Amino acid sequence: MKNLKIGILGATGAVGQQMITVLEERNFPVEELRLFASARSAGTKISAFGKEWTVEETDAGRFRGLDLMLGAAENNIAEKYLPLAAEMGVQVVDNSSAFRLDPEIPLVIPEVNPEDVKLSKGLIANPNCATIIALTAVMPLHKAAHIKRMIVSTYQAVSGAGKEGIDELENEVKELAEGKPVQEPRIFQYQIAYNLIPQIGGFNELGYSSEEMKMQNEGRKMLHDEKLLVNCTCVRVPIIRSHSESITLEFDKEITPEEAKELLKNAPGVKLYDEPDEKIYPMPLLTSDQDLVYVGRVRRDLSAPAEIYNKSLTLFCCADQVRKGAATNAVQIAELLFR
Ligand code: A2P
């Protein structure tokens, strides 16, 4: 693999910063790093790969000559700049939701549909964080027994809303500890400290939030199954990092909890962590700042009707959504493309 000239759009944000760390950790062959952000951050110095790099104000004219651009900015910024980068011959991997459902653009989790990178015409989308975690966890089971239906409840960390989400929770906790009134929230709909909020994104006419619909729509695209049935409830919780998810599955074929555990034990990207009697199960504090999706509490769905009981499972999983749910998955896609 030759040394690459790599740009990061949104390099100063939570995901952009994590991308730099992940590139370093995985010894990604970097010849040059170009860090793009808003004019506010231009001139900031960031150390990586034993050198100091200066953040530049984003300007498409500066993208020429890059081999790879990792996108870690909001949709409107991704839409403005990334198609231009792709037109200039830069391979783009973008973490925003702007391009995910475009039929011309592959949406990829390396443990789920690595072959789809071959369909890239210059731009590949990185899926939603909660969707990456859920599908990485259930893919080994899907391969064995084919998932027909998923019922998912998420418990999503504030870092999913970027650096400002973390700041809002930390400030509220501090204000409460000091006995001060909590300031009007700017990032979340309500105070998130000592609370939880069953809304991530806007609601559609059926009462589902945009985050909830991603699980269905992105899940269908990556599993290449338009019939996949998904019912998802997404909840923001006062956790700094690592999303957690409760997932109930109905399969086409029979599968036992023991078979499922054996499959999960040997699956890429997954760590089976399931000894409930020993208090061993996934938790966000345990799974933060590492790259695996922890899976535990694997058991039957007690509510499944008799005829599908043997085709049902329920599990709980957790993973660091800034890493596997965003930065690491994007770098893994780049590895599929360039290694
Ligand atoms: P900046 O730090 O200069 O505002 P997060 O989601 O964690 O808040 O990160 C958002 C990222 O997108 C940051 O790197 C931010 O840079 C960047 N960004 C915000 N606005 C722009 C813009 N107009 N042009 C380019 N990058 C931007």
Side-chain angles (χ1 to χ4, degrees):
M1 186 176 178
K2 69 164 187 144
N3 285 350
L4 304 176
K5 294 188 173 131
I6 302 180
I8 300 181
L9 177 64
T12 51
V15 173
Q17 291 282 295
Q18 187 68 64
M19 282 170 169
I20 298 171
T21 313
V22 172
L23 287 169
E24 272 191 303
E25 284 173 359
R26 298 175 79 96
N27 291 321
F28 207 87
V30 173
E31 179 186 321
E32 189 183 355
L33 262 191
R34 301 284 300 280
L35 306 177
F36 299 104
S38 77
R40 292 180 294 277
S41 307
T44 307
K45 308 271 187 216
I46 293 180
S47 298
F49 293 95
K51 287 188 196 160
E52 206 167 62
W53 312 90
T54 306
V55 175
E56 303 170 55
E57 180 178 354
T58 309
D59 171 358
R62 299 181 180 184
F63 299 164
R64 211 165 286 286
L66 291 177
D67 299 296
L68 170 69
M69 174 73 95
L70 299 175
E74 290 294 322
N75 282 17
N76 58 335
I77 296 158
E79 279 162 354
K80 181 169 170 192
Y81 293 110
L82 295 180
L84 294 172
E87 273 169 30
M88 288 178 196
V90 182
Q91 173 65 56
V92 177
V93 180
D94 177 39
N95 189 55
S96 83
S97 61
F99 309 106
R100 288 182 190 151
L101 296 182
D102 183 327
E104 297 290 310
I105 294 176
L107 181 67
V108 175
I109 303 172
E111 291 85 350
V112 173
N113 59 334
E115 62 290 349
D116 286 352
V117 295
K118 296 196 194 103
L119 306 171
S120 168
K121 294 178 186 151
L123 211 158
I124 295 185
N126 206 39
N128 164 261
C129 48
T131 308
I132 291 178
I133 293 166
L135 290 197
T136 303
V138 303
M139 190 62 193
L141 314 179
H142 179 66
K143 277 187 188 153
H146 196 274
I147 297 167
K148 208 166 153 181
R149 179 166 176 238
M150 299 172 67
I151 301 169
V152 185
S153 295
T154 73
Y155 310 76
Q156 296 185 221
V158 293
S159 46
K163 251 186 182 157
E164 292 182 315
I166 302 174
D167 291 346
E168 192 153 292
L169 171 59
E170 289 183 339
N171 288 337
E172 287 177 358
V173 169
K174 197 160 160 269
E175 283 156 358
L176 289 164
E178 291 168 356
K180 293 184 188 156
V182 167
Q183 279 178 29
E184 192 61 31
R186 285 190 317 111
I187 303 301
F188 303 113
Q189 296 85 353
Y190 293 94
Q191 172 186 323
I192 185 69
Y194 310 134
N195 194 14
L196 54 80
I197 304 172
Q199 174 175 10
I200 304 180
F203 292 107
N204 69 12
E205 65 291 351
L206 292 172
Y208 283 83
S209 72
S210 54
E211 187 82 354
E212 290 162 355
M213 293 313 294
K214 288 172 189 172
M215 189 71 73
Q216 174 195 288
N217 298 335
E218 296 182 20
R220 286 179 178 175
K221 180 166 173 174
M222 285 183 282
L223 296 181
H224 303 287
D225 181 2
E226 277 309 303
K227 293 195 187 131
L228 177 71
L229 300 169
V230 180
N231 175 355
C232 185
T233 302
C234 289
V235 181
R236 186 73 71 194
V237 295
I239 295 282
I240 298 284
R241 251 178 116 114
S242 253
H243 289 352
S244 306
E245 306 184 27
S246 160
I247 306 179
T248 295
L249 300 161
E250 180 189 333
F251 296 90
D252 275 331
K253 296 186 202 153
E254 292 193 359
I255 182 168
T256 66
E258 291 66 35
E259 285 164 346
K261 286 186 211 177
E262 202 50 39
L263 291 165
L264 290 163
K265 210 185 273 173
N266 300 310
V270 169
K271 183 177 168 84
L272 179 71
Y273 202 70
D274 197 14
E275 299 291 342
D277 291 341
E278 320 265 319
K279 294 194 280 189
I280 289 180
Y281 30 68
M283 291 183 293
L285 279 184
L286 179 80
T287 58
S288 291
D289 213 22
Q290 59 79 51
D291 285 322
L292 297 173
V293 178
Y294 279 51
V295 185
R297 304 289 321 278
V298 179
R299 61 208 193 277
R300 283 283 182 223
D301 172 8
L302 279 188
S303 76
E307 62 278 15
I308 60 161
Y309 187 76
N310 291 339
K311 299 175 178 176
S312 80
L313 289 175
T314 289
L315 56 83
F316 191 76
C317 62
C318 289
D320 186 319
Q321 92 290 353
V322 187
R323 280 180 170 265
K324 180 55 186 165
T328 302
N329 200 74
V331 173
Q332 284 179 291
I333 293 173
E335 287 172 348
L336 288 176
L337 289 163
F338 288 97
R339 280 217 205 254

